[in-house]
Amino acid sequence: ESLVRRVESLQLLYEELSAAGFANRGERIPLEAYLSRVANAVAHLDGRAGISVQFRADHALVGVDLAARLGLLLSEIVTNALEHAFTGRESGTVDIRLTAAEDGRLTLIVADDGIGLAPGTAWPDMASMGGRIAIQLVEGMGADLSVTSGPTGTRITLDVPTEIGNDHPATTP
């Protein structure tokens, strides 16, 4: 099932590229449109009544490689939140926020108001395939990942310093 989510994230990227008329990997796409589609797809497939997934994003044009990595990572994070954060609860919120700085740095925050990570557990977990994939994606972006969790929810913050293999800013005026 998690493999299905990963393939679907890549399918959405392909559709985003096709819709925008992009032909090759050197092109740049609007990240906010792609990540919004990923978040909505995961919410539709894994969500349930009473759990809201909210998405807000700055405009950012990024290369396909970075978009693919961020889309896969967002899919992992949101899927995990929907599967585990609201155990025993009827309602809750997953809030996704993408900010783009003028120097090209991106910050992706996924915060839920769920039950928090179980004591003694960590995310990403190297014992799971999803955790190993998440770590590889973060390292591949040269990003910093921080996770805070408590009884009022979990907050995952990803700071991407600059675009992969590109010294141009990720934002547009």
Side-chain angles (χ1 to χ4, degrees):
E1 187 173 306
S2 60
L3 179 60
V4 171
R5 299 293 177 271
R6 294 177 192 113
V7 170
E8 184 165 83
S9 291
L10 293 174
Q11 175 66 26
L12 290 171
L13 177 61
Y14 175 77
E15 291 172 9
E16 199 69 39
L17 291 171
S18 297
F22 294 116
N24 64 56
R25 293 169 57 95
E27 298 285 355
R28 296 160 76 76
I29 65 166
L31 182 62
E32 70 281 6
Y34 171 55
L35 292 185
S36 174
R37 290 187 68 190
V38 169
N40 288 331
V42 173
H44 176 73
L45 292 168
D46 290 332
R48 62 181 198 262
I51 306 298
S52 166
V53 177
Q54 301 173 351
F55 182 85
R56 295 170 297 154
D58 293 344
H59 176 65
L61 288 175
V62 302
V64 175
D65 286 345
L66 180 57
R69 291 171 199 243
L70 284 169
L72 286 168
L73 186 60
L74 181 62
S75 177
E76 291 290 335
I77 294 169
V78 175
T79 297
N80 204 46
L82 292 173
E83 285 179 5
H84 303 291
F86 306 105
T87 301
R89 294 196 24 202
E90 294 297 316
S91 63
T93 301
V94 178
D95 187 41
I96 304 162
R97 178 78 173 106
L98 173 72
T99 57
E102 288 186 21
D103 64 1
R105 288 180 298 118
L106 299 169
T107 302
L108 179 65
I109 298 171
V110 181
D112 67 62
D113 60 358
I115 60 175
L117 295 172
T121 63
W123 190 92
D125 178 6
M126 284 298 287
S128 74
M129 179 183 287
R132 290 191 303 274
I133 288 172
I135 290 168
Q136 289 176 343
L137 290 167
V138 170
E139 290 174 353
M141 290 183 276
D144 292 319
L145 180 74
S146 63
V147 180
T148 56
S149 185
T152 58
T154 301
R155 179 184 179 100
I156 298 172
T157 303
L158 180 75
D159 288 306
V160 183
T162 55
E163 188 161 345
I164 302 168
N166 189 344
D167 56 3
H168 301 296
T171 57
T172 57

